[in-house]
Amino acid sequence: MLRTTKRPLAFVLTAANHGSMLVNRNDSYTNAVETIGVGYNIFLNSSCGQEEVDAALQLLDSRRKHYGDGVFALDCGANIGVHIVEWARHMHGWGEALAFEAQERIFYALAGNLTLNNCFNARALWAAVGAHAGEIRVPEPDYLSAGSFGSLEIRKTEKTEFIGQAIDYSEANTRPVRMLAIDDLDLPRLDLIKIDIEGMELEALAGARKTIARHKPQMLIERIKTDQLALNAVLLEHGYKLFAFGVNLLAIHESDPFATQVVINR
């Protein structure tokens, strides 16, 4: 049958340094300072956040060295999966990972990227991470138009970042999405938590207090949209040493042998 309907393409398959990746070609926004977007960076550089990825791989290696095989990592706010795909490939045979992504369409790309790269030691959940289990309404940007989709904030505030397109936070234009607390996972082991959830980082930590106290995981937390004094206080209360790493805060528990080996060259 002849198909004459024209449809715009947003997600495309590309060969990146991270592996074969489903990427939204519209994932880009140029602000007054720079152009941002996971997709933009992948198309420009064949990678996104490579320094962060390399740092995370080093952290995973350190946990394996000091605590043995069976390393387990959480990627909270995984986007299309740059980090977890790299983690899973790196930890083949000795570690596993679990990713969370709250945006439905982005989650589909995340799951596809895990499959494309045969990451059988990684899983993904369509869910937000918060202080407690429940439900949260997630706005839906226009993925057929330009915007930095990884910058989307689920909760609107007075300082909500403009991502390149107007976002409607009304109930009619948001979708109910499952929200989980890390403590509810009751994990037998946890070595690394990456948290990049656009201002909800403190909520995620509040929902992980028991897990953090039990397993003392290493943490890589984006800090630019959260109260940094409050973030520092929570981590120091748990006995962590803190290191600035670009837009992130690297937290290593004082009992972790790697805490005395951290060198930040940036």
Side-chain angles (χ1 to χ4, degrees), residues 185-200:
L185 300 174
D186 195 23
L187 297 170
R189 175 172 175 175
L190 182 58
D191 295 274
L192 174 66
I193 310 176
K194 168 186 159 286
I195 308 178
D196 181 358
I197 49 178
E198 305 306 312
M200 292 180 62

Side-chain angles (χ1 to χ4, degrees), residues 10 23 25 35 50 81 87 93 119 129 134 170 179 185 221 240 247 263:
V23 183
R25 66 186 183 90
T35 302
Q50 192 64 57
W87 299 355
C119 298
V129 179
S170 68
M179 184 164 65
L185 300 174
I221 306 169
Y240 278 82
V247 299
V263 177

Side-chain angles (χ1 to χ4, degrees), residues 159-210:
K159 298 180 180 180
T160 292
E161 179 183 6
F162 181 67
I163 70 166
Q165 58 177 262
I167 300 299
D168 187 346
Y169 284 87
S170 68
E171 184 170 352
N173 290 283
T174 55
R175 177 182 291 271
V177 174
R178 180 186 181 191
M179 184 164 65
L180 299 173
I182 291 174
D183 281 344
D184 292 334
L185 300 174
D186 195 23
L187 297 170
R189 175 172 175 175
L190 182 58
D191 295 274
L192 174 66
I193 310 176
K194 168 186 159 286
I195 308 178
D196 181 358
I197 49 178
E198 305 306 312
M200 292 180 62
E201 288 78 13
L202 285 171
E203 294 180 54
L205 290 174
R209 293 185 66 87
K210 294 179 181 178

Side-chain angles (χ1 to χ4, degrees), residues 46-143:
S46 298
S47 66
C48 181
Q50 192 64 57
E51 288 184 335
E52 290 182 18
V53 170
D54 291 344
L57 297 182
Q58 185 179 6
L59 294 173
L60 295 169
D61 283 340
S62 77
R63 294 294 286 202
R64 184 189 190 193
K65 175 182 177 181
H66 296 295
Y67 299 97
D69 288 0
V71 170
F72 192 84
L74 292 179
D75 189 351
C76 304
N79 202 285
I80 62 171
V82 165
H83 266 273
I84 194 170
V85 165
E86 290 260 22
W87 299 355
R89 291 167 57 183
H90 184 70
M91 293 195 294
H92 176 72
W94 55 270
E96 299 182 350
L98 174 63
F100 303 91
E101 175 52 49
Q103 295 183 62
E104 182 182 13
R105 294 294 164 179
I106 302 298
F107 166 76
Y108 294 157
L110 163 64
N113 288 334
L114 290 177
T115 301
L116 281 169
N117 288 280
N118 288 289
C119 298
F120 291 103
N121 56 338
R123 293 181 296 131
L125 294 177
W126 175 26
V129 179
H132 54 79
E135 189 176 86
I136 189 169
R137 300 199 68 88
V138 176
E140 296 185 297
D142 178 5
Y143 297 105

